[in-house]
Amino acid sequence: PEAITVQELANRMAARGGEVVKALFRMGVMATLTQSIDADTAELVVQEFGHRVRRVSESDVEIGLEGMEDTDTDLQPRPPVVTIMGHVDHGKTSLLDALRKTDVVAHEAGGITQHIGAYQITVPDGSKVTFIDTPGHEAFTAMRARGASVTDMVVLVVAADDGVMPQTIEAIRHAKAAGVPLIVAVNKIDKPGVKPDRVKQELLQHEVVVESLGGDTQEIEVSATQRINLDKLLEAISLQAEVLDLKANPNRAAEGTVIESKLDRGRGPVATVLVQKGTLKQGDIVVAGAEWGRVRAMLDDKGRQLKDAPPSLPVEILGLSGVPSAGDNFIAVENEARAREVSEFRQRRAREKATAALGARGSLNDMLAR
Ligand code: GTP
Ligand code: MG
């Protein structure tokens, strides 16, 4: 029974059609704006958007007023989420480490402790910045393929002594495809004889025009190891963040993306998640990918136990039934019954997709065998 078109559903939720298509994609449903989806699927989408659903008939859903999409007054500023990309050995890790050491709070807390796939620092002016320490382009591609968009901007690291290289170009392409702005960090300027200006010229060939050449891409010359101009880079990030006017409603059920996950011997499944909407609370029941559970404990990148995680904060959560995948969506839900329902739905979709893929491969094999 086909109930409602994707566009109509989006209209009813006052959401963008593209967002609904993306939500469906995350659930394993491929649909365009004009296609119809059944009421069961629509109901799940509506709940994923944080709305309450009323079934008005077997095949139709009505969206309750309780959970209307966030209005302007609900939205509050949130810290930017920044991904650092660049060619091998150009200094991404060194830069992340150096920036991490500028964290005023980390110093107060007695230094850096554990490594998780993302961390948040507090800069001297008191504002916060979240950095995602992804293992690089593949993770980025995988997340984008899953419809997950986690980063607000990309800091492109280009070593002044090496210039624009294949993975630099790839990073530019990724950022453009994802529609996120770039900030260029020309690194290793401490090295004798390097020519940062050459990098700017090379970038021009890839349609990245830095400000000093009349474009609108900010560029900062830095040295990660000599700690030169880190403050300027942070300023560039906060300027870009201001332009983007980043906001989220902290007062709603949490939603976000799994950044990384693992099975820990002592602690069981551990997932690092980025909260993107709402506030995640210890004790919340969450569904992450097809896994679910009660958040038994929540830790920040400094190993501190948290009770609440607001938008843009990456946290490690314990208590899931299994290990979700990077790029999986997570949502906090009302109760265990609901969690089971969403989890089963996602498992069913995943199985259907796998079967479909197998079927496709099967027929391809048949064809090849002939
Ligand atoms: P991959 O993760 O392998 O892609 O490399 P990366 O981009 O993370 O580079 P990494 O930070 O590991 O740095 C590579 C090498 O460059 C190391 O030997 C660093 O010490 C050196 N390096 C990084 N930043 C600077 C810098 O600002 N100046 C100088 N002189 N060397 C640097
Ligand atoms: Mg590295």
Side-chain angles (χ1 to χ4, degrees):
E2 293 192 336
I4 186 169
T5 67
V6 174
Q7 184 64 63
E8 168 64 12
L9 183 64
N11 292 348
R12 287 193 199 177
M13 294 192 293
R16 274 203 291 272
E19 293 299 321
V20 177
V21 171
K22 265 200 250 169
L24 282 163
F25 183 81
R26 283 200 297 266
M27 290 159 54
V29 183
M30 304 290 179
T32 61
L33 288 176
T34 52
Q35 272 171 349
S36 292
I37 52 173
D38 61 47
D40 287 337
T41 308
E43 195 173 321
L44 274 160
V45 172
V46 169
Q47 276 162 344
E48 291 238 333
F49 274 75
H51 300 299
R52 223 165 276 270
V53 188
R54 204 161 68 85
R55 256 325 231 282
V56 286
S57 73
E58 174 74 292
S59 63
D60 201 4
V61 292
E62 194 173 75
I63 290 121
L65 284 174
E66 297 93 335
M68 282 311 285
E69 193 59 1
D70 303 328
T71 59
D72 282 352
T73 51
D74 297 327
L75 297 175
Q76 291 175 27
R78 63 167 180 84
V81 179
V82 181
T83 302
I84 300 209
M85 298 180 90
H87 195 70
V88 184
D89 277 352
H90 279 200
K92 299 178 294 292
T93 303
S94 304
L95 191 59
L96 276 161
D97 288 348
L99 288 166
R100 198 170 194 183
K101 290 201 187 99
T102 65
D103 187 351
V104 289
V105 177
H107 288 293
E108 284 163 18
I112 289 145
T113 47
Q114 67 192 118
H115 171 88
I116 69 172
Y119 65 86
Q120 190 176 75
I121 64 167
T122 304
V123 299
D125 74 2
S127 61
K128 293 170 162 49
V129 183
T130 298
F131 287 101
I132 299 192
D133 189 2
T134 59
H137 307 276
E138 268 167 48
F140 200 83
T141 312
M143 285 202 188
R144 218 157 45 75
R146 302 173 78 93
S149 60
V150 290
T151 198
D152 297 310
M153 62 186 92
V154 166
V155 168
L156 180 67
V157 181
V158 190
D161 60 343
D162 206 19
V164 171
M165 298 299 280
Q167 278 181 283
T168 315
I169 300 166
E170 214 182 300
I172 294 169
R173 231 180 280 136
H174 282 311
K176 287 199 168 160
V180 296
L182 275 178
I183 294 174
V184 175
V186 180
N187 191 30
K188 308 197 187 185
I189 56 152
D190 59 291
K191 283 200 160 182
V194 295
K195 297 191 180 66
D197 282 343
R198 204 195 68 197
V199 174
K200 297 170 200 175
Q201 291 297 334
E202 288 172 355
L203 286 170
L204 216 47
Q205 294 165 23
H206 301 281
E207 281 144 55
V208 175
V209 190
V210 297
E211 281 177 342
S212 60
L213 296 180
D216 54 9
T217 302
Q218 298 190 81
E219 117 251 13
I220 320 289
E221 295 178 6
V222 299
S223 166
T225 50
Q226 297 305 308
R227 310 183 56 78
I228 300 169
N229 287 344
L230 299 179
D231 51 344
K232 291 215 176 97
L233 180 57
L234 288 168
E235 265 168 43
I237 289 168
S238 65
L239 198 68
Q240 184 64 69
E242 247 170 67
V243 171
L244 293 172
D245 192 26
L246 304 166
K247 286 181 174 159
N249 176 7
N251 302 310
R252 56 175 282 172
E255 182 175 346
T257 301
V258 176
I259 302 292
E260 63 178 16
S261 58
K262 63 182 177 203
L263 188 61
D264 187 283
R265 259 173 161 246
R267 302 186 295 167
V270 180
T272 302
V273 301
L274 176 72
V275 179
Q276 294 174 292
K277 282 180 187 172
T279 298
L280 184 61
K281 299 187 170 75
Q282 190 189 354
D284 272 357
I285 296 161
V286 297
V287 186
E291 308 298 337
W292 70 278
R294 186 180 289 275
V295 179
R296 186 150 46 80
M298 208 157 56
L299 302 159
D300 70 5
D301 57 286
K302 296 167 191 83
R304 294 180 299 204
Q305 287 247 16
L306 302 178
K307 291 257 179 284
D308 303 282
S312 294
L313 190 70
V315 285
E316 257 192 3
I317 58 169
L318 276 57
L320 289 174
S321 53
V323 182
S325 310
D328 276 346
N329 157 276
F330 88 86
I331 46 168
V333 294
E334 281 161 38
N335 51 43
E336 292 194 1
R338 181 78 202 133
R340 246 185 237 111
E341 207 178 10
V342 176
S343 156
E344 274 164 20
F345 177 85
R346 289 180 174 181
Q347 279 172 20
R348 197 166 63 235
R349 286 293 178 191
R351 269 198 306 274
E352 281 168 14
K353 247 168 67 175
T355 314
L358 262 180
R361 210 174 312 140
S363 52
L364 186 65
N365 283 339
D366 289 348
M367 267 160 47
L368 292 173
R370 267 175 216 146

